[in-house]
Amino acid sequence: MDGMINIYKEKGYTSHDVVAKLRGILKMKKIGHTGTLDPEAEGVLVVCLGKGTKLCNFLTDCQKTYRAVMRLGVATDTEDMTGSILEERPVTVSEQQVLVAVASFQGTYQQIPPMYSALKVNGRKLYELAREGQTIVREPREVQIFQIRVEKVELPYVTMVVECSKGTYIRSLCRDIGEKLGCLGAMAELTRTRVGEFCVEDAITLKEVEQRVQAGELENCLVPVDNMFVKYPQIVVPPERNKAVDNGNSFSLEGVRMAPGRVRIYKEDGTFIGLYQCDEEGLFTPCQLFFVRGR
């Protein structure tokens, strides 16, 4: 089984829990997820199966969309409401002040990641150090907020939708907005609603996966690997080039001339081989291979 499944991660599960449970349900080991969600967060978690695991890094880099509820007036050690409260302040800001502060974060900004995160320092994860009572100075990292908008203000709670780049911590964004307003802030709820082209409306729970496996209908939920590359032109190689593509070698096609760039390569039986780069001389060189012998 090769491809991707759009899983709705429910509260209480870690991303690794989801992978472990799927391994049991699907009776297969080669499964990977494409971006960690905190245990109390929910929403889209794209899981890759078989040859599809080669897409994990590709999907991790995709733009993501979240719906977050921010709680103003409080700071916690985890930067969300699951942690211990460090400080509380009265919330005296107006709705207009909230709207202006939130909007100011659209664009690129330098974000300091939370101590309770899986980032590593000297080979150890920050959350491991945090649980030992250590606080490490973290270097700010550039993140991109493509769009941020407020859906609802019911002070001290603010609901907002955030479209952002890889590496953005919504908990830290809530912290930074609260600090800008002068009243502190922490994340109260988080739902990931989109990862690339995968949206929450199409996601299925682990229970639903189990039900579809029992009914023999899981294939209907499996997104093929080549769906991620439909923007590239398609080339079907003739049988005499099967040996080259089976071994992941470069090749040329007599009579085929096209603009340099990436293309999807298929065999005549419909097997998707992978992405190739076509140069000005008509030579096709592999970029990312999926279905070749021994790979």
Side-chain angles (χ1 to χ4, degrees):
M1 190 178 297
D2 305 295
M4 298 155 286
I5 298 180
N6 183 0
I7 296 293
Y8 189 95
K9 191 195 84 67
E10 298 169 280
K11 289 184 179 182
Y13 291 110
T14 67
S15 300
H16 292 294
D17 289 340
V18 171
V19 170
K21 288 181 178 295
L22 281 174
R23 284 177 177 149
I25 294 170
L26 303 178
K27 311 301 182 188
M28 61 184 298
K29 292 183 178 180
K30 201 169 184 181
I31 301 178
H33 68 78
T34 60
T36 302
L37 273 176
D38 293 336
E40 290 306 301
E42 56 189 320
V44 174
L45 182 69
V46 183
V47 176
C48 299
L49 312 176
K51 299 286 189 180
T53 54
K54 295 183 179 182
L55 288 169
C56 285
N57 289 338
F58 176 82
L59 285 163
T60 300
D61 291 341
C62 284
Q63 181 174 320
K64 300 175 177 66
T65 303
Y66 298 88
R67 177 174 287 105
V69 178
M70 173 174 60
R71 165 70 157 90
L72 295 176
V74 64
T76 73
D77 57 354
T78 59
E79 300 180 4
D80 62 19
M81 296 308 296
T82 68
S84 301
I85 294 176
L86 302 176
E87 185 180 355
E88 294 186 77
R89 294 180 190 173
V91 179
T92 58
V93 296
S94 67
E95 180 174 333
Q96 184 58 32
Q97 287 174 309
V98 170
L99 295 176
V100 171
V102 169
S104 72
F105 282 86
Q106 186 160 309
T108 300
Y109 94 100
Q110 297 293 318
Q111 185 183 77
I112 297 175
M115 268 302 299
Y116 281 85
S117 66
L119 293 177
K120 289 186 177 181
V121 174
N122 297 325
R124 298 197 63 193
K125 294 178 180 178
L126 285 176
Y127 69 77
E128 295 173 342
L129 299 173
R131 288 170 181 168
E132 294 173 1
Q134 299 184 53
T135 300
I136 305 297
V137 176
R138 286 96 66 206
E139 292 296 323
R141 306 189 307 169
E142 183 175 283
V143 298
Q144 181 80 24
I145 308 297
F146 300 108
Q147 185 176 29
I148 185 168
R149 59 184 175 85
V150 174
E151 278 194 342
K152 183 169 58 176
V153 178
E154 294 179 336
L155 295 174
Y157 294 97
V158 179
T159 302
M160 54 191 182
V161 174
V162 183
E163 297 177 21
C164 58
S165 65
K166 169 190 175 182
T168 304
Y169 285 91
I170 304 300
R171 285 179 285 144
S172 299
L173 177 62
C174 292
R175 172 203 68 200
D176 294 341
I177 293 171
E179 289 180 355
K180 184 159 191 173
L181 287 166
C183 60
L184 305 176
M187 188 181 75
E189 296 178 21
L190 184 69
T191 302
R192 186 154 67 196
T193 59
R194 183 177 288 273
V195 175
E197 299 302 314
F198 294 88
C199 59
V200 70
E201 291 81 7
D202 300 324
I204 61 175
T205 64
L206 289 171
K207 182 65 175 178
E208 289 173 314
V209 170
E210 197 166 16
Q211 291 170 344
R212 297 192 187 200
V213 167
Q214 292 170 354
E217 299 174 350
L218 188 65
E219 290 289 336
N220 298 333
C221 306
L222 197 63
V223 178
V225 171
D226 57 334
N227 271 33
M228 299 305 300
F229 307 112
V230 292
K231 65 181 180 180
Y232 299 116
Q234 173 180 323
I235 294 287
V236 178
V237 298
E240 59 265 26
R241 291 289 181 266
N242 282 351
K243 183 176 180 180
V245 298
D246 282 342
N247 292 317
N249 296 331
S250 300
F251 64 90
S252 58
L253 294 175
E254 185 176 349
V256 174
R257 289 291 179 267
M258 59 189 303
R262 290 192 169 189
V263 296
R264 290 176 288 147
I265 297 295
Y266 294 80
K267 294 170 71 171
E268 284 192 335
D269 64 3
T271 300
F272 173 58
I273 300 300
L275 287 184
Y276 279 64
Q277 179 73 29
C278 177
D279 67 15
E280 294 180 352
E281 303 300 321
L283 181 68
F284 294 87
T285 303
C287 298
Q288 190 168 13
L289 299 173
F290 292 92
F291 296 92
V292 295
R293 291 176 181 170
R295 304 194 188 195

